[in-house]
Amino acid sequence: MTFDILTRLPVELAYQILSKLSITDVVVCQSVSRQWYWITTDQSIWKQVYLEHERPYAIPRSALVPSLSTPSATSSSSSTSSLSGYRDWKQHCQSRVVLDRNWRQGDIQSLLTLRYHRGGIVRLRIKAGLLLSGDMFGQVAVWDTDSYACQCVVEAAVGPIQLLDFSAKAMVMTVISRSGVCRIWSIKTKELICSFSAYDVVCMTMDDDHLVLGGRDGRIQVVDFMTGAIVRTTTAFAEEILQDIYIQNDTLIIATGHHLRILSIDTLQILSTCPLPIAPSVRTFCSVFHIRSLILLTEEHLLHIEWKALYGSINKNFVIDQNKELPPNLLIPPRIQKTKVPPISTITSIAIGGNHPRVLTTNADRPSLHDTIRLCPAPRLNAWADDICPSDAPEATRTTTAAPSVAAAAMRLLESAEEETGSVLSSQVPEVAQYLETCGLKPSFMDVDEDVIVIGTSKGDIVVLNMLSLE
């Protein structure tokens, strides 16, 4: 004789119990009986399960649903759903499980090829529903990521493009050519807003309110992208080379070869800093920061360094808005993943993207795209070290600089990290696998979003690889 306690409980209590399970556990519960199936159709259960699934990634709730597109949804149905306020949380859960599985197995579901450019692709930027591609002749094409239709083409630079970014809200893009000229364009009207010399700029980032430039001399400049005027500037970081800048929660994340710093975007005051867990003698060829992950490319390894989210303010100058993307807590040791990489000379691009950060590399020692895209493993979710300076400690005990014990702990983590090789992306779909093997295209640049990889090639084609089926 069986006793079904779940169906005998008040329905509200049954909802609370099921909402504590994982996505896969709730799916199993659906098949137990007809009564259990009807209980698990409630959207509030799937909402709580989905939010709990995403909790380790510290994603703001306002960004959770837009971050994961549902492949079967059309633009009209999405707008209708948005107007009514209805969210199909069960569909989001199913899509997330499938997406995580496809990434884990390295299984590409579909692809399409975009053709417009006459020259090789040298820059790609995908975010907020738009893809911008720049080629060696200075052309920038703007693509809608819903249909991948080309919206417009701008003759944005003279010669190859060195840096490219844009604001989706303002519909403004910034292009820096290898000749050292920065041009800011309106995407809507294709009109030049302003231009100025930028021959010493080595890194750049842009959001809906700011344009930030990093110079070869180590200085940071905040620029008004509607006028080109320099609003604020820092003094140079002595004997350090800027490698990447990232805008986050009204702060700037500044990566150099051996340090990570958080600066206020309003005052450019240093709010927090920590040394990176590598020896001063180790040369870093590339640093890329995304959310709370830093990717470092050295001669032998690609290091994925990831910090915990900082939920509370460290001091009165460093105030955290929890409705925005949370910055890294530099006061505790990060978790580290070490991946063996092929010879540096064969690597053509490194990309990191998505709310669940995915790190990929491409190399050009193959005759086609087959076996050229490598997914690097992420640090394990349970690999955090104990907090040394928790964010809820009394303000008097807090510091903005990581203690020597934190740096030493990070170095020990690096030394003990197991070396992995990563996995090569492939496809179980025959048409996709055949294209990758026979297309004859070599990657020149790459960017990645939550469920899509875009690869620019030396012939000017752009290959869009989807990790979710479009059917």
Side-chain angles (χ1 to χ4, degrees), residues 345-409:
S345 59
T346 66
I347 296 177
T348 57
S349 62
I350 298 173
I352 178 173
N355 286 329
H356 299 200
R358 319 285 183 181
V359 180
L360 299 112
T361 64
T362 58
N363 57 298
D365 58 351
R366 300 288 190 275
S368 190
L369 293 179
H370 181 64
D371 288 346
T372 63
I373 311 162
R374 184 173 294 275
L375 176 64
C376 301
R380 296 178 180 85
L381 283 176
N382 60 353
W384 296 114
D386 293 334
D387 291 11
I388 290 180
C389 183
S391 58
D392 57 354
E395 186 170 317
T397 67
R398 299 179 199 165
T399 175
T400 60
T401 304
S405 58
V406 175

Coordinates of all heavy atoms in Angstrom, one line a residue, residues 345-409:
S345 N 51.2 31.1 -31.2 CA 51.2 31.6 -32.6 C 50.0 31.1 -33.3 O 49.6 31.6 -34.4 CB 52.5 31.2 -33.3 OG 52.6 29.8 -33.3
T346 N 49.3 30.0 -32.9 CA 48.2 29.4 -33.6 C 46.9 29.9 -33.1 O 45.9 29.7 -33.8 CB 48.2 27.9 -33.5 OG1 48.0 27.5 -32.2 CG2 49.5 27.3 -34.0
I347 N 46.8 30.6 -32.0 CA 45.6 31.1 -31.4 C 45.2 32.4 -32.1 O 46.0 33.3 -32.1 CB 45.7 31.3 -29.9 CG1 45.9 29.9 -29.2 CG2 44.4 31.9 -29.4 CD1 46.1 30.0 -27.7
T348 N 44.0 32.4 -32.7 CA 43.5 33.6 -33.4 C 42.6 34.5 -32.6 O 42.5 35.7 -32.8 CB 42.8 33.2 -34.7 OG1 41.7 32.3 -34.4 CG2 43.7 32.5 -35.6
S349 N 41.9 33.9 -31.6 CA 41.0 34.7 -30.8 C 40.6 34.0 -29.5 O 40.6 32.8 -29.4 CB 39.7 35.1 -31.5 OG 39.0 34.0 -31.9
I350 N 40.3 34.8 -28.5 CA 39.7 34.3 -27.2 C 38.5 35.1 -26.9 O 38.4 36.3 -27.1 CB 40.8 34.5 -26.1 CG1 42.0 33.7 -26.4 CG2 40.2 34.1 -24.7 CD1 43.1 34.0 -25.4
A351 N 37.4 34.4 -26.5 CA 36.2 35.1 -26.2 C 35.6 34.5 -24.9 O 35.7 33.3 -24.6 CB 35.2 34.9 -27.3
I352 N 34.9 35.4 -24.1 CA 34.1 34.9 -23.0 C 32.8 35.7 -23.0 O 32.8 36.9 -23.3 CB 34.9 35.2 -21.6 CG1 34.1 34.8 -20.4 CG2 35.4 36.6 -21.5 CD1 34.8 34.8 -19.1
G353 N 31.7 35.0 -22.7 CA 30.4 35.7 -22.7 C 29.4 34.9 -22.1 O 29.6 33.7 -21.7
G354 N 28.2 35.5 -21.9 CA 27.1 34.8 -21.3 C 27.0 35.0 -19.8 O 28.0 35.3 -19.1
N355 N 25.8 34.8 -19.2 CA 25.6 34.9 -17.8 C 26.2 33.7 -17.1 O 26.6 33.8 -15.9 CB 24.1 35.0 -17.5 CG 23.5 36.3 -17.8 OD1 24.2 37.3 -17.7 ND2 22.2 36.3 -18.2
H356 N 26.3 32.6 -17.7 CA 27.1 31.5 -17.2 C 28.4 31.5 -18.1 O 28.4 30.9 -19.2 CB 26.4 30.1 -17.4 CG 25.1 30.0 -16.7 ND1 24.6 28.8 -16.5 CD2 24.3 30.9 -16.2 CE1 23.4 28.9 -15.8 NE2 23.2 30.2 -15.7
P357 N 29.4 32.2 -17.7 CA 30.5 32.6 -18.6 C 31.1 31.3 -19.3 O 31.5 30.4 -18.6 CB 31.5 33.2 -17.6 CG 30.7 33.8 -16.6 CD 29.6 32.8 -16.3
R358 N 31.2 31.4 -20.6 CA 31.8 30.4 -21.4 C 33.0 31.0 -22.0 O 33.0 32.1 -22.6 CB 30.9 29.9 -22.5 CG 29.4 29.7 -22.1 CD 29.2 28.5 -21.3 NE 27.7 28.4 -21.0 CZ 27.2 27.4 -20.2 NH1 28.0 26.5 -19.8 NH2 25.9 27.3 -20.0
V359 N 34.1 30.2 -22.0 CA 35.4 30.7 -22.5 C 35.8 29.8 -23.7 O 35.8 28.6 -23.6 CB 36.5 30.6 -21.4 CG1 37.8 31.1 -22.0 CG2 36.1 31.4 -20.2
L360 N 36.0 30.4 -24.8 CA 36.4 29.7 -26.1 C 37.6 30.3 -26.7 O 37.9 31.5 -26.6 CB 35.2 29.8 -27.1 CG 33.9 29.2 -26.6 CD1 32.9 30.2 -26.4 CD2 33.4 28.1 -27.6
T361 N 38.4 29.4 -27.4 CA 39.5 29.9 -28.2 C 39.4 29.3 -29.6 O 38.7 28.3 -29.8 CB 40.8 29.4 -27.6 OG1 40.9 28.0 -27.6 CG2 41.0 29.9 -26.2
T362 N 40.0 30.0 -30.5 CA 40.0 29.5 -31.9 C 41.5 29.4 -32.3 O 42.3 30.3 -31.9 CB 39.2 30.3 -32.9 OG1 39.7 31.7 -32.9 CG2 37.8 30.3 -32.6
N363 N 41.8 28.5 -33.1 CA 43.2 28.4 -33.7 C 43.1 28.2 -35.2 O 42.2 27.6 -35.7 CB 44.0 27.3 -33.0 CG 43.4 26.0 -33.1 OD1 42.3 25.7 -32.6 ND2 44.1 25.0 -33.7
A364 N 44.2 28.6 -35.9 CA 44.2 28.6 -37.3 C 45.1 27.6 -37.9 O 45.6 27.8 -39.0 CB 44.5 30.0 -37.8
D365 N 45.3 26.5 -37.2 CA 46.2 25.5 -37.8 C 45.5 24.3 -38.4 O 46.0 23.2 -38.6 CB 47.2 25.0 -36.7 CG 46.5 24.4 -35.5 OD1 45.2 24.5 -35.5 OD2 47.2 23.8 -34.7
R366 N 44.2 24.5 -38.8 CA 43.4 23.5 -39.4 C 42.9 24.1 -40.8 O 42.8 25.3 -40.9 CB 42.1 23.2 -38.6 CG 42.5 22.6 -37.2 CD 43.0 21.2 -37.3 NE 43.1 20.5 -36.0 CZ 44.2 20.7 -35.2 NH1 45.2 21.5 -35.5 NH2 44.2 20.1 -34.0
P367 N 42.6 23.2 -41.7 CA 42.1 23.7 -43.1 C 40.7 24.2 -43.1 O 40.3 24.9 -44.0 CB 42.3 22.5 -43.9 CG 42.1 21.3 -43.0 CD 42.8 21.8 -41.7
S368 N 39.9 24.0 -42.0 CA 38.6 24.4 -42.0 C 38.2 24.7 -40.5 O 39.0 24.7 -39.6 CB 37.6 23.4 -42.6 OG 36.3 23.9 -42.8
L369 N 36.9 24.9 -40.2 CA 36.4 25.2 -38.9 C 36.4 24.0 -38.0 O 36.2 24.1 -36.8 CB 35.1 25.9 -38.9 CG 35.0 27.3 -39.5 CD1 33.6 27.8 -39.5 CD2 35.9 28.2 -38.7
H370 N 36.5 22.8 -38.6 CA 36.5 21.6 -37.8 C 37.7 21.5 -36.9 O 38.8 21.7 -37.3 CB 36.5 20.4 -38.8 CG 36.4 19.0 -38.1 ND1 35.3 18.7 -37.3 CD2 37.3 18.0 -38.0 CE1 35.6 17.4 -36.8 NE2 36.8 17.0 -37.2
D371 N 37.4 21.2 -35.6 CA 38.5 21.1 -34.6 C 39.2 22.4 -34.3 O 40.3 22.3 -33.7 CB 39.5 20.0 -35.0 CG 39.0 18.6 -34.9 OD1 37.9 18.4 -34.2 OD2 39.6 17.7 -35.4
T372 N 38.6 23.5 -34.6 CA 39.3 24.8 -34.3 C 38.7 25.5 -33.1 O 39.4 26.4 -32.6 CB 39.2 25.7 -35.5 OG1 37.9 26.1 -35.8 CG2 39.8 25.0 -36.8
I373 N 37.5 25.2 -32.7 CA 36.9 25.9 -31.6 C 36.9 25.1 -30.4 O 36.4 24.0 -30.3 CB 35.4 26.3 -32.0 CG1 35.3 26.9 -33.4 CG2 34.8 27.2 -30.9 CD1 33.9 26.8 -33.9
R374 N 37.6 25.6 -29.4 CA 37.8 24.9 -28.1 C 37.1 25.5 -27.0 O 37.3 26.8 -26.7 CB 39.3 24.7 -27.8 CG 39.6 23.9 -26.6 CD 41.1 23.7 -26.5 NE 41.6 22.9 -27.6 CZ 41.6 21.6 -27.7 NH1 41.2 20.9 -26.7 NH2 42.1 20.9 -28.8
L375 N 36.3 24.8 -26.2 CA 35.7 25.2 -25.0 C 36.5 24.9 -23.8 O 36.8 23.8 -23.5 CB 34.3 24.6 -24.9 CG 33.5 24.9 -23.6 CD1 33.1 26.4 -23.6 CD2 32.2 24.0 -23.5
C376 N 36.9 26.0 -23.1 CA 37.8 25.8 -21.9 C 36.9 25.5 -20.7 O 35.9 26.2 -20.5 CB 38.6 27.0 -21.7 SG 39.7 27.4 -23.1
P377 N 37.2 24.6 -19.8 CA 36.4 24.3 -18.6 C 36.4 25.5 -17.7 O 37.4 26.2 -17.5 CB 37.1 23.1 -18.0 CG 38.5 23.2 -18.5 CD 38.5 23.8 -19.9
A378 N 35.3 25.7 -17.0 CA 35.1 26.7 -16.0 C 35.5 26.2 -14.6 O 35.5 25.0 -14.4 CB 33.7 27.2 -16.0
P379 N 35.9 27.1 -13.7 CA 36.2 26.6 -12.3 C 34.9 26.0 -11.7 O 33.8 26.3 -12.0 CB 36.5 27.9 -11.6 CG 36.9 28.9 -12.6 CD 36.1 28.5 -13.9
R380 N 35.1 25.0 -10.9 CA 34.0 24.3 -10.2 C 33.3 25.2 -9.3 O 33.8 26.0 -8.6 CB 34.5 23.1 -9.5 CG 35.2 22.0 -10.4 CD 35.7 20.9 -9.6 NE 36.3 19.8 -10.4 CZ 37.6 19.9 -10.8 NH1 38.4 20.9 -10.5 NH2 38.1 19.0 -11.6
L381 N 31.9 25.1 -9.3 CA 31.1 26.0 -8.5 C 31.4 25.8 -7.0 O 31.2 26.8 -6.3 CB 29.6 25.7 -8.8 CG 29.0 26.2 -10.1 CD1 27.6 25.7 -10.3 CD2 29.1 27.7 -10.1
N382 N 31.8 24.7 -6.5 CA 32.0 24.5 -5.1 C 33.5 24.7 -4.7 O 33.9 24.2 -3.7 CB 31.6 23.1 -4.7 CG 32.3 22.0 -5.4 OD1 33.1 22.3 -6.3 ND2 32.1 20.7 -5.1
A383 N 34.3 25.3 -5.6 CA 35.7 25.5 -5.3 C 36.1 26.8 -4.6 O 37.2 27.2 -4.7 CB 36.5 25.4 -6.7
W384 N 35.1 27.4 -4.0 CA 35.4 28.7 -3.3 C 36.2 28.4 -2.1 O 36.0 27.5 -1.3 CB 34.2 29.4 -2.9 CG 33.3 29.9 -4.1 CD1 32.1 29.4 -4.4 CD2 33.7 30.9 -5.1 NE1 31.6 30.1 -5.5 CE2 32.6 31.0 -6.0 CE3 34.8 31.7 -5.3 CZ2 32.6 31.8 -7.1 CZ3 34.8 32.5 -6.4 CH2 33.7 32.6 -7.2
A385 N 37.2 29.4 -1.8 CA 37.9 29.3 -0.5 C 37.0 30.1 0.5 O 36.1 30.8 0.2 CB 39.2 30.0 -0.7
D386 N 37.3 29.9 1.8 CA 36.6 30.6 2.8 C 36.8 32.1 2.7 O 37.9 32.6 2.4 CB 37.0 30.1 4.2 CG 36.6 28.7 4.4 OD1 35.6 28.2 3.8 OD2 37.3 28.0 5.2
D387 N 35.7 32.9 3.1 CA 35.8 34.3 3.1 C 36.9 34.7 4.2 O 36.8 34.3 5.3 CB 34.5 35.0 3.4 CG 33.5 34.8 2.3 OD1 33.8 34.0 1.4 OD2 32.4 35.4 2.3
I388 N 37.7 35.6 3.7 CA 38.7 36.2 4.7 C 38.2 37.5 5.2 O 38.4 37.9 6.4 CB 40.1 36.3 4.0 CG1 40.7 34.9 3.8 CG2 41.1 37.2 4.8 CD1 42.0 34.9 3.1
C389 N 37.6 38.3 4.3 CA 37.0 39.6 4.8 C 35.6 39.7 4.3 O 35.3 40.2 3.2 CB 37.8 40.7 4.2 SG 37.3 42.4 4.8
P390 N 34.6 39.1 5.0 CA 33.2 39.1 4.5 C 32.7 40.5 4.4 O 33.1 41.4 5.2 CB 32.5 38.3 5.6 CG 33.3 38.3 6.8 CD 34.7 38.4 6.3
S391 N 31.8 40.7 3.4 CA 31.3 42.1 3.2 C 30.4 42.6 4.3 O 30.1 43.8 4.3 CB 30.4 42.0 1.9 OG 29.4 41.1 2.0
D392 N 29.9 41.8 5.2 CA 29.1 42.3 6.3 C 29.9 42.5 7.6 O 29.3 42.7 8.6 CB 28.0 41.3 6.6 CG 28.5 39.9 7.0 OD1 29.7 39.7 6.9 OD2 27.7 39.0 7.4
A393 N 31.2 42.6 7.4 CA 32.1 42.9 8.6 C 31.9 44.4 8.9 O 31.5 45.2 8.1 CB 33.5 42.6 8.3
P394 N 32.2 44.8 10.2 CA 32.2 46.2 10.5 C 33.0 47.0 9.6 O 34.1 46.6 9.2 CB 32.7 46.2 12.0 CG 32.4 44.8 12.5 CD 32.6 43.9 11.3
E395 N 32.6 48.2 9.3 CA 33.3 49.0 8.3 C 34.7 49.3 8.7 O 35.6 49.4 7.8 CB 32.6 50.3 8.0 CG 33.2 51.2 6.9 CD 32.3 52.3 6.6 OE1 31.0 52.2 6.5 OE2 32.8 53.4 6.4
A396 N 35.0 49.4 10.0 CA 36.3 49.7 10.4 C 37.3 48.6 10.1 O 38.5 48.8 10.0 CB 36.3 50.0 11.9
T397 N 36.8 47.4 9.9 CA 37.7 46.3 9.7 C 37.9 46.0 8.2 O 38.7 45.1 7.8 CB 37.2 45.0 10.3 OG1 35.9 44.6 9.6 CG2 36.8 45.2 11.8
R398 N 37.2 46.7 7.4 CA 37.3 46.5 5.9 C 38.5 47.2 5.3 O 38.9 48.3 5.8 CB 36.0 46.8 5.2 CG 34.8 46.1 5.8 CD 33.5 46.5 5.0 NE 32.4 46.2 5.8 CZ 31.2 46.7 5.6 NH1 31.0 47.5 4.6 NH2 30.1 46.3 6.3
T399 N 39.0 46.7 4.2 CA 40.0 47.3 3.5 C 39.7 47.2 2.0 O 39.0 46.4 1.6 CB 41.4 46.7 3.8 OG1 42.4 47.2 3.0 CG2 41.3 45.2 3.5
T400 N 40.3 48.1 1.2 CA 40.0 48.0 -0.2 C 41.1 47.2 -1.0 O 41.0 47.0 -2.2 CB 40.0 49.5 -0.8 OG1 41.3 50.1 -0.5 CG2 38.9 50.3 -0.2
T401 N 42.1 46.8 -0.3 CA 43.2 46.1 -0.9 C 43.3 44.7 -0.3 O 43.2 44.5 0.9 CB 44.6 46.8 -0.7 OG1 44.5 48.1 -1.1 CG2 45.7 46.0 -1.4
A402 N 43.4 43.7 -1.2 CA 43.5 42.3 -0.8 C 44.7 42.1 0.1 O 45.8 42.6 -0.2 CB 43.5 41.4 -2.0
A403 N 44.5 41.4 1.2 CA 45.6 41.2 2.2 C 46.6 40.2 1.6 O 46.3 39.4 0.7 CB 45.0 40.6 3.5
P404 N 47.8 40.3 2.0 CA 48.9 39.3 1.5 C 48.4 37.9 1.7 O 48.8 37.1 0.8 CB 50.1 39.6 2.4 CG 49.9 41.1 2.8 CD 48.4 41.2 3.0
S405 N 47.6 37.6 2.7 CA 47.2 36.2 2.9 C 46.3 35.8 1.7 O 46.2 34.6 1.3 CB 46.5 36.0 4.2 OG 45.4 36.9 4.3
V406 N 45.5 36.7 1.2 CA 44.6 36.4 0.1 C 45.4 36.1 -1.2 O 45.1 35.1 -1.9 CB 43.6 37.6 -0.2 CG1 42.8 37.3 -1.4 CG2 42.7 37.8 1.0
A407 N 46.4 36.9 -1.4 CA 47.3 36.7 -2.6 C 48.0 35.4 -2.5 O 48.2 34.7 -3.5 CB 48.3 37.9 -2.7
A408 N 48.5 35.1 -1.3 CA 49.2 33.8 -1.1 C 48.3 32.6 -1.3 O 48.6 31.6 -1.9 CB 49.8 33.8 0.3
A409 N 47.0 32.8 -0.8 CA 46.0 31.7 -0.9 C 45.7 31.5 -2.4 O 45.6 30.3 -2.9 CB 44.8 32.0 -0.2

